[in-house]
Amino acid sequence: MQKIVIVGGEPLQGTISISGSKNAALPLMAASILTDESIALKNTPNLADIHTMGSVLDSLGVNFDKADLVSKNEIKLTYADSSKALAEYDLVRKMRASILVLGPLLARKREATVSLPGGCAIGARPINIHVDALTQLGGEFNLEKGYIKCEAKSGLRGAKINLPMISVGATENIIMAATLAKGETEINNIATEPEIMDLIDCLKSMGAIIEVQDNRRVLIQGVDKLHGTTHTVIPDRIEAGTYIIAGAITKGELEVTNLNLEHIDNMISVFKNIGVNILKENNTVRVKESSLINNIDLDTKEFPGFPTDMQAQIMVLLSLAGKPSTVRENIFENRFMHVPELNRMGANIDTDGSKATINPCNGFSGAQVMATDLRASVSLVLASLIATGETTINRVYHLDRGYERLEDKLASCGANIQRIQ
Ligand code: EPZ
């Protein structure tokens, strides 16, 4: 089992380049099922989840060409229509995003059997919204032995769908399915994360007819066929926000580049309210030593609100404020798993249901800690960077799911960090 060992106290100086977005790349990969022509994805991050999605797609008959992933962050996916429409449990359980093959398979093959993804550390994560909406497009669903079996013998037909709650994955699944449904589909109450807009851009470059309107509405005219494309994955806004916080708390001078400022506008205004010294230049953010960290009351929200995927990370920053802050987690029901580990490092955070109170603390001290989910584990890395002494983070496979070359990027800016077997 690999571990990461960090000795804190080094200010980060230099430049960190942001990789492509994991949460954009995953649905883009699933979209390859919608055509029998090749989809080439540039700026694809070399992450464990990308390889897992590649294995899921491979098991469904997609040729996953990753020869250029390490050297050029490029992959190519070509769906050779096959009899296989079964996404096995042992693959799906590794990564919930595997459920994103459901809509494309139903649209293309008119059937799909996908293992129920099951819950994970941050919550039960049901897929009722995916199923209900795909049913309205003509899918017939059955649940058998932990697998979702669905079919649409006469193909999918457009419908008017009002989503009961905002869901990133459900929005992605339904939009992908609707591109090949007969007639018009109107979907209301969609999620509008940049990753979804990136998927829509890619689908339109494949020949899909999609019109995004205001107030979370999208109109899709189904087409008979989609063609191949080459698409560049947008930068990872969560990775960018994570390194901006790293620059702020280590009191260095860090340049975070290759990012999309529009995607992190709200995040940056929250950081500025807290007192982070940020300069924005084109596709770069420069973070300098912040004289004073202010406390704030923060709610995680769907985009364009403050992202839940940044909740664990910002707790480390708020621990340095002189007064208590509150963070309310409104998206997931169990996303404070990082709190006990941060408290073991010296944080002073109380939780009460979905509300956390981050009290001032006297800094962090190194410890043996355990990663639990992707974003929780990176908050432990952030605390380790400013802790006195050495921190060992176990179960770093969580980190490898979402942060490309994390230790290289941090070490290149002066962090004392290494990975050990
Ligand atoms: C996506 O997950 C992201 N994953 C998550 O990032 C992110 O935290 C989340 O969106 C919210 O922004 C990917 O894009 C691969 P949801 P997703 O459907 O699609 C409930 C990371 O760290 N819900 O928007 O699963 C659900 O339980 C990961 O990169 C239902 O009740 O999120 C949750 O409480 C973690 N029924 C809320 O909606 C459903 O059918 C939002 O979930 C679907 C969702």
Side-chain angles (χ1 to χ4, degrees):
M1 187 81 83
Q2 292 189 342
K3 300 177 180 180
I4 280 185
V5 178
I6 297 172
V7 177
E10 306 294 339
L12 295 182
Q13 313 267 356
T15 300
I16 287 183
S17 179
I18 296 304
S19 302
S21 162
K22 164 180 85 81
N23 290 352
L26 294 172
L28 288 166
M29 291 174 75
S32 62
I33 293 173
L34 294 168
T35 176
D36 48 18
E37 297 179 21
S38 288
I39 304 287
L41 295 179
K42 294 177 180 298
N43 198 33
T44 302
N46 181 22
L47 297 169
D49 275 10
I50 300 297
H51 292 273
T52 303
M53 181 60 97
S55 306
V56 172
L57 292 170
D58 179 67
S59 74
L60 296 169
V62 175
N63 177 281
F64 173 45
D65 177 359
K66 57 184 178 182
D68 293 336
L69 179 54
V70 175
S71 59
K72 296 197 293 190
N73 289 104
E74 288 184 22
I75 57 174
K76 194 171 277 187
L77 302 126
T78 314
Y79 180 50
D81 198 343
S82 73
S83 58
K84 295 180 273 191
L86 164 65
E88 299 272 358
Y89 171 71
D90 68 330
L91 283 172
V92 173
R93 71 180 170 78
K94 279 189 202 162
M95 183 186 63
R96 301 182 26 75
S98 313
I99 197 67
L100 294 172
V101 302
L102 189 60
L105 277 174
L106 197 51
R108 194 78 207 285
K109 296 219 27 89
R110 300 188 173 187
E111 63 162 333
T113 302
V114 180
S115 165
L116 266 174
C120 70
I122 61 179
R125 311 211 38 204
I127 56 164
N128 56 309
I129 300 171
H130 300 242
V131 172
D132 295 349
L134 291 170
T135 301
Q136 292 178 62
L137 289 179
E140 291 167 28
F141 286 80
N142 289 301
L143 190 54
E144 282 175 29
K145 302 191 186 84
Y147 279 80
I148 310 161
K149 295 175 80 73
C150 61
E151 57 183 9
K153 289 195 181 75
S154 47
L156 298 179
R157 307 195 69 75
K160 178 174 179 179
I161 299 170
N162 298 317
L163 296 174
M165 70 185 281
I166 293 170
S167 160
V168 170
T171 300
E172 290 164 342
N173 245 333
I174 298 145
I175 287 176
M176 286 192 280
T179 58
L180 294 178
K182 282 184 182 46
E184 176 176 275
T185 299
E186 174 186 320
I187 311 168
N188 292 302
N189 202 24
I190 62 165
T192 57
E193 270 67 1
E195 295 76 32
I196 292 171
M197 297 304 132
D198 197 35
L199 173 64
I200 289 172
D201 289 346
C202 181
L203 291 168
K204 287 165 78 171
S205 74
M206 293 164 69
I209 302 170
I210 306 176
E211 182 197 343
V212 180
Q213 297 185 342
D214 294 338
N215 58 25
R216 294 184 181 275
R217 171 178 298 151
V218 66
L219 292 179
I220 299 159
Q221 305 301 331
V223 294
D224 294 335
K225 194 172 162 39
L226 292 179
H227 50 76
T229 190
T230 295
H231 180 80
T232 300
V233 179
I234 57 171
D236 193 312
R237 62 194 169 99
I238 304 303
E239 186 193 17
T242 303
Y243 286 123
I244 290 171
I245 290 182
I249 62 175
T250 57
K251 297 186 171 40
E253 181 157 343
L254 189 65
E255 190 181 70
V256 182
T257 188
N258 279 343
L259 49 77
N260 181 318
L261 282 174
E262 280 172 34
H263 298 164
I264 58 173
D265 208 30
N266 172 294
M267 208 191 287
I268 286 186
S269 53
V270 168
F271 292 155
K272 285 188 168 178
N273 288 345
I274 294 174
V276 178
N277 184 343
I278 280 183
L279 275 175
K280 298 191 286 190
E281 299 152 6
N282 303 331
N283 67 346
T284 297
V285 163
R286 196 183 300 282
V287 193
K288 288 186 179 164
E289 173 156 6
S290 309
S291 51
L292 179 72
I293 301 295
N294 312 312
N295 61 320
I296 59 166
D297 294 326
L298 188 64
D299 277 90
T300 63
K301 285 198 178 66
E302 299 88 358
F303 192 85
F306 190 82
T308 172
D309 291 348
M310 282 296 300
Q311 178 252 104
Q313 298 93 308
I314 203 155
M315 281 195 184
V316 179
L317 178 61
L318 291 172
S319 293
L320 308 182
K323 292 187 197 134
S325 298
T326 60
V327 170
R328 194 175 293 282
E329 172 53 59
N330 299 304
I331 305 295
F332 289 107
E333 70 267 27
N334 181 35
R335 204 171 193 176
F336 288 148
M337 311 276 281
H338 44 285
V339 169
E341 295 302 288
L342 288 175
N343 284 343
R344 290 182 59 241
M345 295 182 70
N348 182 5
I349 305 169
D350 303 318
T351 59
D352 173 13
S354 64
K355 179 180 164 188
T357 302
I358 298 92
N359 302 297
C361 73
N362 307 317
F364 292 92
S365 51
Q368 286 266 2
V369 289
M370 185 77 72
T372 50
D373 72 85
L374 169 55
R375 308 304 174 182
S377 45
V378 88
S379 74
L380 301 177
V381 172
L382 292 174
S384 308
L385 291 173
I386 55 173
T388 49
E390 183 176 281
T391 300
T392 302
I393 300 175
N394 298 289
R395 296 190 182 173
V396 288
Y397 57 84
H398 289 293
L399 278 171
D400 296 337
R401 296 190 50 184
Y403 288 88
E404 188 180 46
R405 294 185 294 105
L406 173 117
E407 62 267 27
D408 296 348
K409 293 188 179 184
L410 287 171
S412 71
C413 293
N416 181 337
I417 178 171
Q418 55 180 333
R419 182 182 291 251
I420 55 174
Q421 297 303 332

